[in-house]
Amino acid sequence: MADSIFIAVTIGFFALSVAYTYGCEKLRGGRQ
Amino acid sequence: MTALATLQIAVYFGILLLITKPLGSYMARVFEGERTPLHRGLGWLERGTYRVLGVDPEKDMKWTTYAVAMLMFSLISMLFTYAALRLQGFLPLNPQHFGGKQMTPDLAFNTAASFTANTNWQSHSPDVTVSYFSNMVALAIHNWASAAVGIAIAMAVIRGFSRKSASGVGNFWADMVRGALYVLLPISIVGALMFVAMGVPQNFDPYTTVTTLEGAKQTIALGPVASQEVIKQLGTNGGGFFNANSAHPFENPSAVSSFFTVLLIWSIPAALTHTFGKMVGNAKQGWALFGAMAAMALAGAVITSAAEQAGTPHLDSAHIETAATALQPGGSMEGKEVRFGIAASALFATVTTGASCGAVNAMHDSFTPLGGLVPLFNMLTGEVIFGGVGAGLYGMIMFAVLAVFIAGLMVGRTPEYLGKKIERFEVQMAMLAALVLAASVLGFTALSSTVDLPKEGALAAVNTWPGSAYGGSDTVYGAATGNLNNGGPHGFSEIFYTYASATGNNGSAFAGITANTPWYNTTIGFAMLIGRFLMIVPLLAMAGALARKAPVPASSGTFPTDTPTFAALLVGVVVIVGALTYFPGLSLGPIVEHFRMHALATH
């Protein structure tokens, strides 16, 4: 159970980091 | 400061300066894809690696592709490490029979995040927790990979300035493979052999039990230390094979090995400034960054050494002689590496926190308030004083972008850096990278200073996860401040240092906090991931935007960035941004502690 939580949390963090990457790219496209 | 301390610091910086140009030029050739003498011996391995991975090293990546490749590589390697740590009881090379009981889920998360993020924070004592397999495979893989990732990101950021109207910033896989094969591997082989020659063990023997002179039984931990030690320092990783880290005689047997260690830590970060200069076509640009870093490094080493050599008023009031004489080192020797003295401990502390290394040969918790403030400040400024491999350079470039922007505002110069116009997006990304670090350090410090984990309710369940070795032990309930060795300002410094170290991917500990609890393991784990990846992404975005731009010719409004004036401005920006962001925290910790010490307060 605890292992599943930490694995899910890890995958979730990196998934959010990918979204953050494209968010930064969108900010560039939107402002220039 | 003693004459010996002055001599040690002078010799150290002299040798570092001598290394910088040849190693920096060599790395520039490696990352520009040129052939070097080592390609004759290792070229087949590079080509074979690309074939196995199915990678075309010539294929340029957009910054988003580069970032996602880096994130996916880090995710998979972190999950691999988590699994290997949790399953170490079923894996080979485990003569001490360590298993999941020692490596709890929260500790495995913390450790996997730590090594993936090039932090090597260790909430645990490795000699009683981690098997040889875990050390040599699950953790050592990150000592190489996270260092290679750091160098790769620095290369991508440099290309943002060196390329003209380009859509890509390089190939992540090629940068990583080249960094590992042509930079880290050859130096590590030579360095490991040198460590063995100095007396560092390299074996797979089980721990040895001996009888001491008093007749007691003592267990002597052994293992493949030399091969781990060299990449630990060279890759600015810092995680010790033994809990005492570089204060352990098997990791650091002599004054010579201690000096060699601090040289290893800053060798690549210092040389990368020259790589930067070469790749942007103006070596003086690299020397300007080197000068700014060296000035801050020198100031830190001198302040720490002087503060520790001055001792404390408590020693004076107890009529203890604190002057250095032929028979005693003087000053405050508490927590210092007694074999090497104050100067070697102070230099080590400055180097390890200026870089994102985190190896220690002294207990920073025992430093005087001002001596402890320097390592803390080094980490809070983003570890740009030479910094981690790659991380120090891209962190300093972030400050350079802010410096030219501020110079533009202050003296009306055109905000340009290396011929690229610095516009709104670049400043936004540089500020985002800086703010993410501050939010993590200050946010987690505030939380841990106030949180009180209830014995009942939803949070309490965190402490009783099935499979946890804690088994609902009372030690994991209550206020997080209950895990500190000290109260008052020093206790606050212990928490502040912990999250500064985690977010800055340093990994050194103030050693005054019991961090192996679900609360600290989880929050520190997040701080390390945030400090690494949420800082890298905006800097890659900045690099991607800059690479697309065509260079603008220098004009009378251009602020020259290859001069001592710019280096001084850069130091000013780093110090002022660090001071403005963290001065309230520093005031609550080491600064107030310094004044209380002079008031002879005892706690």
Side-chain angles (χ1 to χ4, degrees):
Chain A
M1 173 63 182
D3 286 315
S4 332
I5 293 173
F6 279 112
I7 290 168
V9 159
T10 303
I11 294 170
F13 175 83
F14 282 96
L16 281 175
S17 299
V18 172
Y20 176 68
T21 301
Y22 287 101
C24 288
E25 176 68 352
K26 197 170 177 188
L27 187 66
R28 188 190 68 81
R31 293 286 176 90
Q32 290 188 335
Chain B
M1 242 173 77
T2 61
L4 187 62
T6 309
L7 184 66
Q8 279 191 45
I9 293 170
V11 170
Y12 176 75
F13 280 95
I15 296 178
L16 194 69
L17 187 63
L18 289 176
I19 292 170
T20 296
K21 193 173 175 182
L23 183 57
S25 299
Y26 169 74
M27 286 194 287
R29 290 181 64 191
V30 167
F31 291 103
E32 300 262 55
E34 294 175 26
R35 276 186 72 79
T36 69
L38 284 181
H39 279 72
R40 200 172 295 170
L42 294 169
W44 64 273
L45 195 53
E46 183 191 358
R47 290 187 296 275
T49 308
Y50 295 144
R51 259 196 298 277
V52 169
L53 294 175
V55 166
D56 175 4
E58 302 304 320
K59 193 174 174 186
D60 220 23
M61 291 176 168
K62 273 180 66 182
W63 84 265
T64 45
T65 315
Y66 200 100
V68 172
M70 180 272 297
L71 289 169
M72 289 304 103
F73 173 78
S74 301
L75 167 65
I76 290 165
S77 58
M78 182 172 164
L79 289 176
F80 166 77
T81 298
Y82 182 89
L85 290 173
R86 288 287 291 145
L87 298 171
Q88 65 176 352
F90 305 100
L91 296 169
L93 291 176
N94 186 15
Q96 300 307 120
H97 306 292
F98 297 135
K101 189 171 189 306
Q102 287 84 10
M103 189 53 74
T104 56
D106 50 302
L107 180 59
F109 169 74
N110 179 284
T111 309
S114 175
F115 280 73
T116 306
N118 194 249
T119 310
N120 292 32
W121 168 274
Q122 290 161 305
S123 285
H124 57 285
S125 302
D127 22 357
V128 292
T129 314
V130 179
S131 73
Y132 290 163
F133 181 88
S134 296
N135 244 322
M136 291 193 75
V137 180
L139 302 183
I141 194 172
H142 290 291
N143 283 349
W144 292 85
S146 66
V149 166
I151 298 175
I153 301 300
M155 291 306 125
V157 171
I158 293 174
R159 291 187 193 110
F161 294 97
S162 64
R163 292 189 170 182
K164 301 169 180 66
S165 309
S167 60
V169 291
N171 185 297
F172 172 73
W173 306 109
D175 286 341
M176 255 203 74
V177 170
R178 287 170 184 161
L181 270 186
Y182 298 116
V183 180
L184 298 174
L185 182 66
I187 303 176
S188 291
I189 291 173
V190 175
L193 292 172
M194 287 174 74
F195 271 127
V196 170
M198 290 174 203
V200 177
Q202 178 72 21
N203 59 49
F204 292 103
D205 297 343
Y207 296 175
T208 302
T209 303
V210 297
T211 306
T212 66
L213 289 175
E214 293 88 359
K217 295 285 181 195
Q218 186 180 348
T219 303
I220 309 283
L222 297 166
V225 187
S227 58
Q228 305 293 299
E229 189 66 20
V230 66
I231 190 64
K232 159 195 156 186
Q233 312 295 7
L234 182 69
T236 62
N237 293 287
F241 196 93
F242 304 111
N243 193 39
N245 210 291
S246 290
H248 194 294
F250 283 176
E251 285 203 30
N252 192 6
S254 66
V256 175
S257 68
S258 192
F259 193 82
F260 180 57
T261 294
V262 283
L263 264 181
L264 277 177
I265 295 172
W266 269 355
S267 57
I268 292 179
L272 277 172
T273 59
H274 191 67
T275 307
F276 170 74
K278 294 282 281 187
M279 286 176 71
V280 299
N282 179 359
K284 283 166 73 181
Q285 297 286 352
W287 287 118
L289 297 190
F290 182 94
M293 292 172 170
M296 289 187 286
L298 201 54
V302 169
I303 291 170
T304 310
S305 193
E308 297 309 310
Q309 195 63 55
T312 74
H314 292 89
L315 296 174
D316 293 333
S317 66
H319 305 293
I320 295 170
E321 179 58 69
T322 55
T325 68
L327 298 175
Q328 63 151 18
S332 172
M333 277 299 287
E334 185 194 321
K336 303 299 180 305
E337 171 52 271
V338 293
R339 294 175 297 162
F340 314 140
I342 288 174
S345 294
L347 180 63
F348 203 115
T350 307
V351 171
T352 197
T353 52
S356 68
C357 184
V360 291
N361 80 348
M363 295 302 109
H364 298 178
D365 192 36
S366 292
F367 278 24
T368 59
L370 291 185
L373 186 145
V374 170
L376 185 54
F377 195 73
N378 282 354
M379 294 188 296
L380 291 172
T381 50
E383 289 162 357
V384 292
I385 303 172
F386 295 111
V389 280
L393 183 69
Y394 62 68
M396 196 50 132
I397 291 174
M398 173 190 84
F399 278 113
V401 166
L402 294 179
V404 293
F405 176 69
I406 290 168
L409 292 176
M410 286 171 62
V411 292
R413 296 300 187 108
T414 317
E416 296 163 18
Y417 189 44
L418 303 165
K420 296 291 180 87
K421 279 180 84 175
I422 303 299
E423 294 175 292
R424 178 161 60 179
F425 181 73
E426 290 79 32
V427 177
Q428 280 175 334
M429 290 298 105
M431 283 312 301
L432 180 58
L435 289 172
V436 157
L437 301 183
S440 175
V441 175
L442 298 175
F444 283 122
T445 300
L447 265 179
S448 287
S449 300
T450 52
V451 73
D452 193 346
L453 293 168
K455 204 161 188 174
E456 306 298 332
L459 269 179
V462 170
N463 293 330
T464 54
W465 277 321
S468 166
Y470 304 115
S473 157
D474 278 351
T475 56
V476 295
Y477 293 114
T481 49
N483 293 55
L484 304 174
N485 283 358
N486 300 90
H490 196 75
F492 176 79
S493 292
E494 285 168 354
I495 296 181
F496 197 26
Y497 191 103
T498 295
Y499 289 106
S501 174
T503 305
N505 297 147
N506 185 273
S508 68
F510 224 33
I513 188 167
T514 305
N516 192 5
T517 68
W519 169 262
Y520 280 110
N521 279 336
T522 309
T523 53
I524 292 170
F526 275 116
M528 293 185 286
L529 293 175
I530 290 168
R532 176 74 162 181
F533 299 107
L534 300 194
M535 181 200 183
I536 284 178
V537 167
L539 292 182
L540 280 177
M542 183 182 82
L546 287 168
R548 281 192 183 88
K549 294 183 181 187
V552 289
S555 68
S556 57
T558 302
F559 190 87
T561 54
D562 56 356
T563 62
T565 309
F566 179 71
L569 175 69
L570 194 52
V571 171
V573 169
V574 172
V575 172
I576 290 167
V577 169
L580 287 178
T581 312
Y582 298 109
F583 188 72
L586 293 169
S587 301
L588 290 171
I591 294 175
V592 73
E593 194 187 349
H594 173 76
F595 288 109
R596 283 172 57 82
M597 179 182 81
H598 280 280
L600 292 179
T602 53
H603 60 273

